[in-house]
Amino acid sequence: MHHSIEVRGLVKAFGDVRALDGVDLTVPAGSVLGVLGPNGAGKTTAVRVLSTLTRPDAGSARVLGLDVVAQAGEVRERIGLTGQYAGLDHDLTGEQNLVLIARLLGASRPRAKARAAELLERFDLVHAAGRAAGEYSGGMRRRLDLAASVVRRPEVLFLDEPTTGLDPKSRNGLWDVVRDLVAEGTTVLLTTQYLEEADQLADAIAVIDTGRVIASGAPSELKQMVGGPVLRLRPVRAEALAPLAELADRVIGAETKLEEGAAAVPVAHAGQAAAIVAQVARTGIDLVSFGVDEPTLDEVFLALTGHRTESTSEAEVAA
Amino acid sequence: MTVTTWTTRRGVLAQSASMAARSLASIRNNPATLIEFFMIPLMILLSITFFMGGQMMGTWQDFLQYAGPTIVVMGLFFAIPATGLALFADLESGMFDRLTAMPVSRFALLSGRVTADMVKHAWALLVVGGVAFAMGYRAEGGVLGVLAAVGVVLLFMFSASWSMVLAGLTAKSEDQVQTWMVALLMPLSYTSTAFIEIETLPGAVQWLAEINPMTALSETIRSLLAGDAPGGYLLALLGWCAGAVAVFVPLSLRAYRRRLTN
């Protein structure tokens, strides 16, 4: 049994920029790998190599046991790609876009129309079937783009930053669609800049920076490395910081850190945060604000590399 | 949910037809674009005939009778770069990333664009040719002569379009595609017998005009429209067309493959 995706020592340079500098990845069949990294880390280049759009300089990449360079034609038969920029014809309607893809993939006209109708229904686009894709909202366009990637039910699906630029509601909707596809047995490799997205969708996460995988593992392992959510309490008066920290430590047994104007309490879940806030209210300490912050990609990077994310976007642009 | 799947495949020409239909679908969605396709050749015909024709041949009517068809063709010729520009835009779009990652013939992706543009050229030829007729141009070769000339013009346009496919695939910017076009079309048009008689050219340029494919085209359609046998010029033209396809199609496919390594 092959892994669905196996990448060993992948290298791709654009001029002096090594977009991929020895990347290893393994994705078991039916699972979801989240490739997490900042702009310019090499995520898009990795997806382009795996989907046969860019040839690597060194290393090997196999999809469903097939070499992406030597057997590119066979790979294309079995994958789907949703790139970072919508792979749609903006002058065509939603339905015309899907029919075109189905026709190019060999469907007769009636079958192409039937498949387009199914997908429009499934991706909640029936109401917009007759409108030009260029007039779609961001969320609708992403759904249509995803629909176009699964016209012939690919075994492996590549999603390059599928929710970048979407509002939270559209993003949640897209996540549901991806989960459905995974439930049907599709193997997914998705890239993202959001730790939360990788956490929500992926069985495993590979963190990538300047063309290298700097950490990989289950989302829970990764989150342990950076710590979980943090409750930040901002009192009206600075003198209240120390009592707040004591109180929080007493309630949940945490180790609160004092920041500029805020007490930062590491919490395991929302319930703990609520308990602390309730206790604070009872003691009568006045707060300017409080909130739970999820760890961000930036904090993952800080924990893993000791430096913040640097957006070196040349590699992505060149790709 | 029942899923409609299939195991059928369609050939290269069918894929090409689907791509051509895709490029023409914008017309169905926005019919006003039909006017854009003939505006440039129409304006070239009207302005050259009315403003310059009288000075060149005494009356604009005489000029129209001599140069009308070749002016129409030259006007059409200026629409050829649209193929390169549209392809350039296609290749920059996410759409072509998707298509390139699909099991679709590379040739079909390129020829679909050429085919769609040929439909536009045929439409422009119909309209502007009709205007020339309305202005008083008459072909002594009759309907058959006109049909033969139209066929030759479209064949020439088709062959020449592949040079623009190569330009669209290799250019680094839209400006480069434009530059290519002017560099190719201007000298071709003005060192041919499209507007002028070959005897009026300086000696060295006469030789250039004699081997110019635009001369072969101009003389061929003049003969066909006059009801004469085009002879050697037709053979030369067919040679040019075959040569252009034989050179530019493989070079275009190679350029497409090369894009993948970058």
Side-chain angles (χ1 to χ4, degrees):
Chain A
M1 181 62 210
H2 292 295
H3 288 302
S4 285
I5 301 172
E6 279 184 298
V7 175
R8 293 288 167 267
L10 208 58
V11 174
K12 177 71 191 180
F14 298 102
D16 292 336
V17 182
R18 285 171 87 85
L20 298 177
D21 195 8
V23 167
D24 300 325
L25 295 170
T26 304
V27 188
S31 73
V32 181
L33 174 71
V35 176
L36 183 66
N39 275 332
K43 302 188 300 291
T44 295
T45 306
V47 166
R48 291 182 67 86
V49 168
L50 286 168
S51 56
T52 77
L53 291 178
T54 298
R55 254 172 238 166
D57 297 332
S60 79
R62 302 181 85 80
V63 173
L64 297 160
L66 302 164
D67 188 277
V68 296
V69 177
Q71 296 164 295
E74 290 159 77
V75 171
R76 290 183 192 121
E77 296 279 351
R78 295 166 69 180
I79 62 168
L81 167 67
T82 302
Q84 205 167 348
Y85 305 101
L88 303 167
D89 187 320
H90 295 272
D91 292 331
L92 299 189
T93 66
E95 187 191 11
Q96 286 170 338
N97 265 292
L98 295 176
V99 168
L100 170 66
I101 300 294
R103 292 286 282 154
L104 288 172
L105 289 172
S108 64
R109 193 176 296 279
R111 271 178 196 268
K113 290 217 164 190
R115 183 61 177 149
E118 274 171 13
L119 289 166
L120 289 165
E121 172 86 39
R122 170 170 187 175
F123 288 78
D124 192 21
L125 290 166
V126 174
H127 61 288
R131 270 199 282 148
E135 297 167 15
Y136 279 26
S137 70
M140 286 161 64
R141 203 174 300 156
R142 289 296 173 110
R143 291 209 299 281
L144 181 62
D145 204 17
L146 199 52
S149 316
V150 297
V151 163
R152 210 174 52 171
R153 293 165 67 78
E155 293 163 70
V156 175
L157 181 60
F158 297 100
L159 305 174
D160 194 8
E161 300 201 13
T163 64
T164 297
L166 291 191
D167 61 67
K169 182 166 170 281
S170 308
R171 191 190 57 184
N172 286 324
L174 205 88
W175 285 353
D176 287 339
V177 173
V178 173
R179 286 193 191 100
D180 287 347
L181 292 169
V182 174
E184 289 166 16
T186 311
T187 304
V188 174
L189 183 149
L190 72 97
T191 72
T192 181
Q193 298 191 42
Y194 309 122
L195 181 60
E196 191 196 357
E197 181 160 80
D199 187 22
Q200 286 281 337
L201 296 176
D203 302 305
I205 296 178
V207 182
I208 186 168
D209 184 32
T210 59
R212 289 170 177 278
V213 176
I214 56 170
S216 58
S220 58
E221 293 168 2
L222 212 65
K223 277 163 63 182
Q224 260 170 7
M225 295 171 71
V226 290
V230 173
L231 170 68
R232 284 196 169 78
L233 301 161
R234 295 180 188 83
V236 174
R237 294 180 309 120
E239 302 92 88
L241 276 175
L244 269 179
E246 256 173 61
L247 180 150
D249 291 351
R250 210 168 49 240
V251 175
I252 64 163
E255 286 187 25
T256 299
K257 275 183 253 167
L258 293 184
E259 297 173 353
E260 184 75 33
V265 195
V267 291
H269 50 81
Q272 290 190 336
I276 294 170
V277 173
Q279 192 60 35
V280 171
R282 243 169 268 145
T283 57
I285 301 176
D286 289 331
L287 296 180
V288 177
S289 68
F290 64 90
V292 177
D293 300 317
E294 295 287 334
T296 62
L297 176 61
D298 217 32
E299 284 162 321
V300 174
F301 266 77
L302 196 60
L304 289 171
T305 65
H307 67 84
R308 299 253 159 204
T309 59
E310 297 159 38
S311 283
T312 47
S313 57
E314 295 96 313
E316 299 282 329
V317 170
Chain B
M1 171 192 256
T2 56
V3 174
T4 310
T5 51
W6 58 88
T7 53
T8 46
R9 275 166 194 283
R10 290 162 70 240
V12 172
L13 291 181
Q15 290 179 354
S16 175
S18 289
M19 284 305 292
R22 165 250 172 186
S23 297
L24 294 171
S26 58
I27 298 174
R28 197 170 58 176
N29 298 347
N30 183 11
T33 53
L34 277 174
I35 296 170
E36 291 169 21
F37 303 139
F38 62 73
M39 279 315 280
I40 290 178
L42 181 64
M43 286 306 141
I44 289 177
L45 174 69
L46 295 180
S47 50
I48 293 185
T49 304
F50 288 132
F51 301 142
M52 291 161 60
Q55 192 174 32
M56 284 172 86
M57 289 199 174
T59 67
W60 65 261
Q61 286 88 347
D62 286 345
F63 181 74
L64 179 70
Q65 196 58 36
Y66 174 74
T70 47
I71 292 172
V72 170
V73 169
M74 197 200 71
L76 279 185
F77 211 54
F78 278 88
I80 285 185
T83 303
L85 288 171
L87 193 67
F88 183 82
D90 273 348
L91 289 163
E92 295 290 296
S93 73
M95 174 78 175
F96 256 58
D97 273 353
R98 173 185 300 294
L99 297 176
T100 307
M102 279 170 40
V104 178
S105 149
R106 301 290 182 259
F107 177 77
L109 295 180
L110 302 179
S111 63
R113 168 57 64 189
V114 174
T115 306
D117 288 344
M118 290 309 297
V119 173
K120 296 177 186 175
H121 298 325
W123 159 249
L125 188 53
L126 180 74
V127 172
V128 183
V131 170
F133 183 80
M135 285 163 68
Y137 175 81
R138 290 295 175 270
E140 286 161 32
V143 175
L144 276 183
V146 170
L147 287 179
V150 165
V152 165
V153 168
L154 291 180
L155 175 71
F156 184 77
M157 298 283 284
F158 174 82
S159 313
S161 291
W162 283 97
S163 69
M164 290 299 149
V165 170
L166 182 63
L169 279 162
T170 51
K172 297 273 185 291
S173 67
E174 260 180 53
D175 290 345
Q176 269 191 352
V177 183
Q178 299 270 22
T179 309
W180 263 74
M181 151 221 161
V182 177
L184 188 71
L185 298 192
M186 286 302 212
L188 272 183
S189 302
Y190 292 115
T191 61
S192 75
T193 59
F195 309 119
I196 39 127
E197 288 158 329
I198 205 159
E199 296 77 30
T200 64
L201 289 166
V205 185
Q206 271 192 23
W207 172 81
L208 204 62
E210 197 62 53
I211 60 161
N212 186 331
M214 287 292 276
T215 298
L217 178 67
S218 302
E219 296 306 315
T220 300
I221 57 174
R222 260 187 208 121
S223 304
L224 289 171
L225 289 171
D228 300 335
Y233 282 118
L234 178 61
L235 288 179
L237 183 69
L238 294 177
W240 275 110
C241 290
V245 169
V247 169
F248 289 117
V249 173
L251 281 182
S252 296
L253 288 170
R254 180 161 151 265
Y256 203 156
R257 271 197 303 277
R258 287 209 167 173
R259 286 181 72 92
L260 296 182
T261 56
N262 284 310

